[in-house]
Amino acid sequence: MDLRPSIPDLYNLEISGPAGGEMTLAISGRISLENLGKFLADVEQFFLRSTPRGLSVDLSGIQYLDSAAALAFLNLRNRAESQSTPFQFVHATEEAHRILALLDRPTLQTPPLISGRRSANLLEQAGEGSRALGRDFLSVMEFVGELIRGLGYSLMHPRSVRWDDVLFYMKRAGVDGLPIVSLISFLIGLVIAFMSSLQLKQFGAYLYVASLVAIAIVRELGPLMTGIIVAGRSGSAFGAEIGTMMVNEEVDALRTMGFDPTRFLAVPKVLAAMLVVPLLTLYADVFGILGGLLIGVMFHDLTVYSYVDWTLWSITLFDIVSSLIKSIVFAALIAGIGCQRGFEVRGGAAAVGSATTSAVVSAIFLIIVVDSIFAVILHYVR
């Protein structure tokens, strides 16, 4: 229901003074949003027909104006000053003064913080991408320093660690992830055994399927697939959780109360991941070998004993230890990058979604890179 007074929105413009000289534009009546378009058109016609040496706008006859009309008057001043025409308001009523005082002209003339979007050429996109990559690298290094300091403090003061939260995140990242880790590892072992047997059957060397599956799973695919699964489940959850806390200003509240957000939020998550991911890796290794065992026993007439015996003969303690070391490093990367992306959130729900995506993609990328480095190093160490 419109509660405004039903008074006709009428105004009148009276022009006095010689064209090209000092002119006066007397405005009377009511100017509001309803008749603003017509008023702006009349003002535009006035400037098209005449070019005054000076312009005075008489507001003594104004009966009513709203904030939209005040903006139109400001536009009138800007139009005159753009033509180097001296401009002034004269005989303004108290009501007109009050409405015009609501406008902060310097603020209205300040350019926006984010300029209008335009399509950038390839060189500009490459430059912006390089700058963003540099900023991201510095941000990650800064967070790594804070995280190492927090972990060192927790090592020296174990009672400061929120162990209840560590156990909670161990359950979320470990126990809750057992079904999907076991299923994917079992299927990977099954597929590797089946595809490799198609080639080995030409030589009647079905027994080597056990060696191939064991080496591939324990040395590479076990920790690698476990890391990727944990990155998709827990890394994204860590980023979304801290990102939501950033949006809700809960992290700022922690700082106000004297808590270190890195020690309070990130350290329990990183510790939980570093403790539980190696166990998940062992679990994945066992189920991957079981997948190969199923193919060997059901399709190639291998006995369970012979398959297990060749599996144990193929892998060494060094393979298992190196696999666990890789999984610990992967866990630190997953939890760390997830928390770092969460702390970088600024804005609303869309920023949380972007941070979650970035956490998963960055974690998987780092896992692949670090796994490649481990492959080269372990080749020469072994």
Side-chain angles (χ1 to χ4, degrees):
M1 180 181 294
D2 192 353
L3 300 179
R4 292 175 299 177
S6 57
I7 301 175
D9 289 312
L10 301 176
Y11 68 89
N12 185 43
L13 300 181
E14 294 183 2
I15 303 172
S16 60
E22 296 286 341
M23 302 183 68
T24 300
L25 179 63
I27 305 175
S28 59
R30 295 172 53 87
I31 302 178
S32 62
L33 183 62
E34 283 77 7
N35 59 7
L36 190 61
K38 185 175 183 304
F39 173 75
L40 293 175
D42 291 341
V43 170
E44 184 68 21
Q45 289 297 320
F46 166 75
F47 280 104
L48 291 176
R49 286 197 295 258
S50 58
T51 306
R53 191 172 57 193
L55 180 61
S56 299
V57 176
D58 187 354
L59 302 179
S60 59
I62 290 292
Q63 299 175 2
Y64 173 84
L65 76 159
D66 57 12
S67 57
L71 285 171
F73 288 163
L74 181 60
N75 183 65
L76 177 61
R77 175 194 286 272
N78 293 337
R79 177 63 185 273
E81 292 178 352
S82 67
Q83 298 178 353
S84 301
T85 301
F87 182 93
Q88 62 177 342
F89 290 115
V90 297
H91 306 139
T93 63
E94 182 179 350
E95 180 69 11
H97 265 305
R98 185 179 67 83
I99 298 298
L100 291 173
L102 296 176
L103 302 181
D104 186 355
R105 190 182 179 197
T107 301
L108 291 173
Q109 293 177 339
T110 302
L113 295 177
I114 302 178
S115 59
R117 298 184 180 274
R118 64 181 184 87
S119 58
N121 58 41
L122 182 61
L123 188 60
E124 289 177 335
Q125 292 178 3
E128 287 297 326
S130 300
R131 291 178 57 190
L133 184 63
R135 290 193 299 267
D136 186 55
F137 177 78
L138 293 177
S139 177
V140 170
M141 289 298 102
E142 180 181 357
F143 178 77
V144 168
E146 294 177 357
L147 183 59
I148 292 175
R149 184 183 63 181
L151 290 173
Y153 182 88
S154 300
L155 182 64
M156 300 300 295
H157 305 84
R159 294 175 64 88
S160 67
V161 179
R162 302 166 60 224
W163 291 109
D164 289 342
D165 283 356
V166 173
L167 293 175
F168 172 75
Y169 290 117
M170 286 179 66
K171 178 182 178 300
R172 281 181 54 182
V175 177
D176 295 347
L178 284 178
I180 186 65
V181 170
S182 60
L183 176 62
I184 291 180
S185 300
F186 181 82
L187 293 177
I188 287 177
L190 187 147
V191 170
I192 291 176
F194 180 76
M195 297 304 294
S196 61
S197 65
L198 296 179
Q199 303 301 319
L200 293 175
K201 73 177 182 180
Q202 303 176 47
F203 311 100
Y206 290 120
L207 197 58
Y208 290 104
V209 170
S211 301
L212 192 151
V213 171
I215 292 174
I217 293 293
V218 174
R219 290 186 183 179
E220 289 295 332
L221 293 179
L224 186 64
M225 293 307 301
T226 302
I228 292 175
I229 294 170
V230 173
R233 290 189 70 259
S234 302
S236 59
F238 294 163
E241 179 181 331
I242 296 179
T244 303
M245 295 181 69
M246 290 290 295
V247 171
N248 294 334
E249 300 182 351
E250 297 176 48
V251 176
D252 294 334
L254 289 175
R255 290 194 179 97
T256 302
M257 291 186 291
F259 292 101
D260 182 356
T262 302
R263 285 212 312 265
F264 193 85
L265 298 175
V267 168
K269 295 177 174 62
V270 174
L271 288 177
M274 293 176 68
L275 290 173
V276 80
V277 171
L279 299 178
L280 282 177
T281 300
L282 289 176
Y283 195 74
D285 292 344
V286 171
F287 270 82
I289 292 172
L290 288 178
L293 175 65
L294 179 65
I295 294 297
V297 171
M298 292 187 63
F299 293 93
H300 304 307
D301 298 326
L302 299 178
T303 64
V304 175
Y305 176 81
S306 62
Y307 190 96
V308 174
D309 184 57
W310 272 88
T311 298
L312 296 178
W313 179 82
S314 303
I315 58 177
T316 63
L317 181 62
F318 181 83
D319 295 328
I320 298 174
V321 172
S322 61
S323 174
L324 295 179
I325 292 175
K326 283 200 293 186
S327 66
I328 293 173
V329 176
F330 292 166
L333 289 174
I334 293 165
I337 199 66
C339 295
Q340 189 270 336
R341 290 297 191 256
F343 282 120
E344 290 294 308
V345 170
R346 300 293 185 275
V352 176
S354 299
T356 303
T357 302
S358 178
V360 175
V361 173
S362 301
I364 294 176
F365 172 76
L366 290 176
I367 287 172
I368 301 299
V369 171
V370 173
D371 185 68
S372 303
I373 296 173
F374 267 113
V376 175
I377 294 175
L378 293 177
H379 171 74
Y380 292 101
V381 172
R382 185 178 287 109

